[in-house]
Structures are given as structure tokens and as C-alpha cells.
Amino acid sequence: MISLQPLQRADLGLLAAWLAEPLVARWWAEDPGEVEARYGPSIDGADPTALYLGLTDGEPFGFVQVYRFAHEPSYAAELAPVHPVPAGALSIDYLVGTAGHRGRGLGAGLIRAAVQRGFADHPDAQDVVVPVHAENYASWRALEAAGFTRVAEGELEPDNPADTRAHVVYQLSRRAAPG
């Protein structure tokens, strides 16, 4: 069973280790040394992004953040020409931290848990929209396994400057969300 636990400062070392893991670093392109500056404001409540560890049988295996596009207006504006963001929509970013946890369906489970939590915390939100780099096959396959539908393809600024701008966009509406 997959559950979510709010990220705490004590978890930042684990998150930094995951961000340094080669496959995670490939797609997240974040400096593991800056996790405190990046995620501390959300932990302290100064940033509205919700941060969670994904747990399976009590063991941490992944990370997910849930946020409103309304709190990220430049991101919503960049996405709009590719796929207009519905009013009140949420988005998520997620990772499975270690190779031993990949390929077991945990990513899709983490996504489902994040969507359920996002909809519970934001009862007015009707959609979750997630842009993913077109070459990140594992990520978009996990979204599909979690019930998302591909709704658009287009060019967006990549997280990793080494990547092309090619992205796919997935969406799940509340009425279609599992569970």
C-alpha cells in the first residue's frame, strides 16, 4: 500500500540523495545541495506547494509535490499555447528515488495518491495537468497507468538545459480520477 507523509526537514538529506541519483538527476536537473533553499519554504508554510514522501509499507521510495497553477502563473502562461490550463487546475511533480523501487508500479501509485490528496485538499479543483518531457517515457507511462490522458504535445522550456523543448501534456479530471 502506498501512503503519503508530509516532507519534513529531517527528510531533506534523503531527498538530496535521490536528486543526486543519476536517473532522477537526468530529469530533475536540480542541485542536491540546494534542497533546503528550494523546499524549506514549503515545509515552513511560506510556499503553498504541498510536499510529500511516498511510502510503501512504511518505507520511503519517492517524492511528490502538489501545487496550483494559480500559484505558478509564469508556468501556466508558458503552457497555455500548448494546452490551456483549466481554472483552478493542479499539477504534480514526482520521482521514484532509487532503482530498486522502479518498475514495480510505485510511480503510478504515487501519482494516484497525490491526485487524491490534491483533490481532497482543493475541493474546487477539477483537473490535474502534468507536462512531461517527451523522452521521459517512464514518467508518461506512469501517468497513463494512473489514469491520465495525453491531451497535447508541444514545446516547453525543459527542466534540463541539455534536453529539447519537446513535451507531452497529460490531464486527469476529478470525474475520471480513480478511487
Side-chain angles (χ1 to χ4, degrees):
M1 175 166 162
I2 294 175
S3 60
L4 299 179
Q5 172 182 297
L7 188 75
Q8 300 173 18
R9 287 193 184 283
D11 302 320
L12 292 177
L14 176 61
L15 181 56
W18 287 343
L19 289 168
E21 197 279 329
L23 185 62
V24 174
R26 165 69 184 91
W27 297 112
W28 278 66
E30 285 192 25
D31 183 344
E34 296 181 7
V35 295
E36 169 70 31
R38 172 95 163 94
Y39 300 104
S42 292
I43 293 170
D44 295 341
D47 180 313
T49 302
L51 309 175
Y52 303 100
L53 285 180
L55 306 166
T56 181
D57 299 324
E59 177 187 356
F61 72 89
F63 169 74
V64 63
Q65 55 185 14
V66 181
Y67 54 94
R68 287 184 178 272
F69 274 100
H71 295 135
E72 302 290 339
S74 61
Y75 190 33
E78 179 189 4
L79 182 56
V82 175
H83 179 70
V85 176
L90 305 173
S91 193
I92 60 173
D93 301 312
Y94 46 87
L95 62 86
V96 173
T98 60
H101 286 110
R102 295 190 191 111
R104 298 174 33 201
L106 295 173
L110 179 63
I111 292 166
R112 281 191 293 274
V115 166
Q116 289 174 348
R117 182 66 180 259
F119 282 151
D121 290 346
H122 304 283
D124 61 320
Q126 297 301 309
D127 300 280
V128 179
V129 177
V130 183
V132 178
H133 195 275
E135 294 175 12
N136 192 344
Y137 307 113
S139 184
W140 52 261
R141 282 194 309 265
L143 286 166
E144 290 171 356
F148 280 72
T149 301
R150 186 182 295 199
V151 293
E153 297 178 13
E155 292 191 355
L156 298 168
E157 193 63 37
D159 290 332
N160 186 334
D163 286 330
T164 68
R165 294 177 48 86
H167 281 72
V168 292
V169 181
Y170 283 83
Q171 185 168 335
L172 179 69
S173 69
R174 181 184 290 270
R175 67 185 174 280

